[in-house]
Amino acid sequence: MTVLINAYACSPNMGSEPGMGWNWICSIARHCEVHVITESEFRNDIEQAVECLTFKDNLHFHYNPVSEHVRQMCWNQGDWRFYWYYWLWQRKTAEIARRICKTQKIDILHQLNMVGFREPGCLLKISKEFNIPLVWGPIGGIKLFPMAYASGIRMKSFQGLKNTLNILQLILYPRVRRMMKHADVLISAIPDSQQAIKKYYGRDSILIPETGCHILNDNDATNTSHRFFNKEFNVIWVGKFDFRKRLDIAIHSIAQTGNSNIRLQIYGNGNEQQTAEAKALIKQLKIEDQVHLMGSVPTKDIHVAMRHADLFLFTSVSEDTSTVVLEAISNHLPVLCFNSCGMAAVIDDSVGWKVDLSTPKQSVKDFANQLNYLYNNRDELLKRSRNCAEKASSLSWNSKGEQLMAIYKDIISS
């Protein structure tokens, strides 16, 4: 089987979209031959990494470069000018795909990333021209911001407008409509995407989170299970200090527990104002001895911290499937989060606990109550930590590759 993949973002040395693209591609290339069309920002890293793979002969990269100016717009999330250049990139990518299909026998076309639904690429034309089945996904970005968690008139207005535009783009944008209707298989990144596709297009889609787990090669996580029974209860929070992550809810929750033995380590940072606000809130609540800002540190150091913590606290209210949640599972660390977005599908009773969306004030109470319960019931943490290995296996990149191969074979056979 030979698959042609459109993946704008791909890098073996990064997380987020580029890392997700790389891991999906490798999970597929373990099973079949793969042609990948990608942007060339990380070409050197890709070519070096490919040489180290046992299945390197299955991988063929084709590069479609953009200017540094366009790359900067891409990295500046929220810069809507990028979508114009991204569409031009997709048109040129379709021409590259056409040339490949003329010289290679391609069995499957796959529109992989970016995962946002707004840009479905141009492979549909190639699919029809060469009569090749087309897979689109994982599809993300189809979610509405919970307005109860938008503070201030400016933020409420912005999020309200964004929610409206999301729905209008989903149901009215011609290129999205055509892809939704005519792609042979749709893959949803989160339950919100799956439900919206069913609601507005009447189509079933396969739910596969866009991020995956890396299986640990050592026993560090399991050998530290005794940590759950120390006097201090160590909680970890990881992320940017932006409004979606609601760091303030995490800080308030620690204060509301009223238990000085519950400690919170915050990894990540924000701009000067966001960092100053976090420090001021910690001081205002008089929990300087309990809450510590650790700043940005290498991912490997965060993983070490996860293996020695008791709980991962994730208070984001709007995103697809966060990489750090799956990293916590990979490191056998139980998770406490909101029952929303990608976390609703990934976290279950076997590896963590979920709090329903309500209001910020109620969420603080709910998180605080759960923290106090877990402080007094450490065996619950140990039980879920031991379950993380099985969950990580089911969410692993290898598992995703096997799921995709089953999808591909089903398309071809039908």
Side-chain angles (χ1 to χ4, degrees):
M1 186 187 300
T2 304
V3 181
L4 192 157
I5 296 175
N6 177 350
Y8 176 90
C10 177
S11 169
N13 300 326
M14 297 190 65
S16 193
E17 285 270 3
M20 181 272 287
W22 170 261
N23 283 301
W24 271 101
I25 289 163
C26 288
S27 71
I28 298 168
R30 286 186 172 90
H31 303 277
C32 61
E33 191 168 2
V34 178
H35 288 265
V36 183
I37 306 174
T38 188
E39 209 276 299
S40 63
E41 181 174 4
F42 306 109
R43 180 169 184 167
N44 291 338
D45 294 339
I46 289 171
E47 292 178 349
Q48 289 177 17
V50 166
E51 286 302 311
C52 300
L53 300 174
T54 57
F55 48 88
K56 64 180 180 180
D57 292 340
N58 287 356
L59 275 167
H60 312 279
F61 280 88
H62 309 263
Y63 298 96
N64 181 7
V66 300
S67 67
E68 281 297 329
H69 178 60
V70 175
R71 287 171 185 165
Q72 288 304 313
M73 280 190 279
C74 178
W75 286 112
N76 182 22
Q77 296 179 6
D79 190 333
W80 289 89
R81 296 175 299 167
F82 170 71
Y83 280 96
W84 166 254
Y85 295 99
Y86 187 37
W87 176 65
L88 294 178
W89 186 90
Q90 294 290 353
R91 291 181 63 186
K92 187 175 179 181
T93 292
E95 292 304 313
I96 298 173
R98 179 176 285 109
R99 293 198 296 269
I100 295 171
C101 290
K102 286 181 178 179
T103 59
Q104 305 287 332
K105 184 185 181 301
I106 303 298
D107 298 296
I108 298 286
L109 298 172
H110 191 155
Q111 175 68 32
L112 181 65
N113 80 359
M114 315 266 252
V115 300
F117 75 92
R118 293 178 182 83
E119 181 46 72
C122 302
L123 290 184
L124 186 59
K125 294 179 180 179
I126 309 302
S127 172
K128 293 181 178 298
E129 181 178 344
F130 292 91
N131 194 28
I132 302 173
L134 174 60
V135 175
W136 181 21
I139 305 167
I142 312 177
K143 57 186 178 302
L144 303 181
F145 190 91
M147 294 303 295
Y149 293 82
S151 55
I153 295 177
R154 183 177 178 182
M155 182 60 68
K156 289 183 181 295
S157 299
F158 173 78
Q159 292 300 334
L161 176 61
K162 187 175 180 181
N163 283 351
T164 302
L165 289 176
N166 256 13
I167 297 301
L168 291 176
Q169 286 177 310
L170 177 64
I171 63 178
L172 297 179
Y173 189 25
R175 294 177 62 236
V176 172
R177 288 180 60 84
R178 286 194 293 269
M179 191 69 155
M180 286 288 184
K181 290 180 177 180
H182 298 296
D184 293 271
V185 170
L186 302 174
I187 300 174
S188 292
I190 61 174
D192 301 62
S193 297
Q194 190 178 47
Q195 294 159 12
I197 291 170
K198 184 66 173 179
K199 177 179 179 180
Y200 294 110
Y201 288 95
R203 291 198 62 180
D204 293 323
S205 58
I206 301 167
L207 181 62
I208 305 178
E210 76 277 19
T211 55
C213 287
H214 292 282
I215 305 301
L216 295 176
N217 293 320
D218 54 48
N219 296 318
D220 287 353
T222 54
N223 287 341
T224 57
S225 58
H226 62 274
R227 70 186 186 271
F228 296 116
F229 299 94
N230 294 326
K231 181 179 180 180
E232 286 188 359
F233 187 77
N234 294 308
V235 183
I236 285 182
W237 187 99
V238 180
K240 296 178 180 178
F241 295 2
D242 67 44
F243 66 94
R244 296 176 299 119
K245 304 290 187 178
R246 293 308 304 251
L247 174 59
D248 59 312
I249 290 178
I251 296 172
H252 275 291
S253 298
I254 296 298
Q256 190 146 328
T257 63
N259 187 337
S260 61
N261 289 321
I262 299 179
R263 309 295 177 90
L264 177 65
Q265 290 183 329
I266 299 170
Y267 290 88
N269 57 24
N271 58 37
E272 289 185 9
Q273 179 180 346
Q274 291 166 336
T275 303
E277 288 174 352
K279 290 179 178 179
L281 180 59
I282 294 168
K283 185 176 182 180
Q284 175 191 336
L285 296 174
K286 299 179 180 179
I287 50 175
E288 296 99 319
D289 292 337
Q290 290 178 255
V291 181
H292 305 281
L293 299 178
M294 311 302 292
S296 291
V297 302
T299 300
K300 60 182 180 63
D301 293 340
I302 292 177
H303 288 187
V304 171
M306 285 178 170
R307 297 179 190 186
H308 293 85
D310 297 300
L311 183 71
F312 183 71
L313 177 60
F314 193 71
T315 52
S316 178
V317 297
S318 180
E319 58 186 281
D320 288 328
T321 310
S322 174
T323 300
V324 293
V325 171
L326 274 73
E327 288 175 347
I329 295 172
S330 295
N331 286 284
H332 299 187
L333 179 63
V335 177
L336 173 61
C337 62
F338 277 110
N339 185 19
S340 67
C341 308
M343 293 78 73
V346 170
I347 301 302
D348 57 26
D349 291 342
S350 69
V351 294
W353 301 264
K354 292 180 286 191
V355 167
D356 290 333
L357 290 171
S358 51
T359 65
K361 185 176 181 180
Q362 182 61 45
S363 294
V364 168
K365 293 180 181 178
D366 292 340
F367 279 120
N369 289 339
Q370 192 65 56
L371 287 167
N372 278 327
Y373 170 79
L374 294 174
Y375 176 83
N376 293 309
N377 295 273
R378 307 298 186 90
D379 55 324
E380 294 285 343
L381 292 162
L382 179 58
K383 176 183 176 181
R384 283 161 175 77
S385 175
R386 288 174 172 169
N387 291 336
C388 281
E390 183 176 351
K391 175 64 73 172
S393 178
S394 69
L395 294 169
S396 70
W397 291 109
N398 286 343
S399 175
K400 292 180 190 297
E402 292 169 358
Q403 286 178 278
L404 271 183
M405 291 310 299
I407 293 169
Y408 292 163
K409 290 176 181 178
D410 186 58
I411 295 173
I412 292 173
S413 65
S414 63

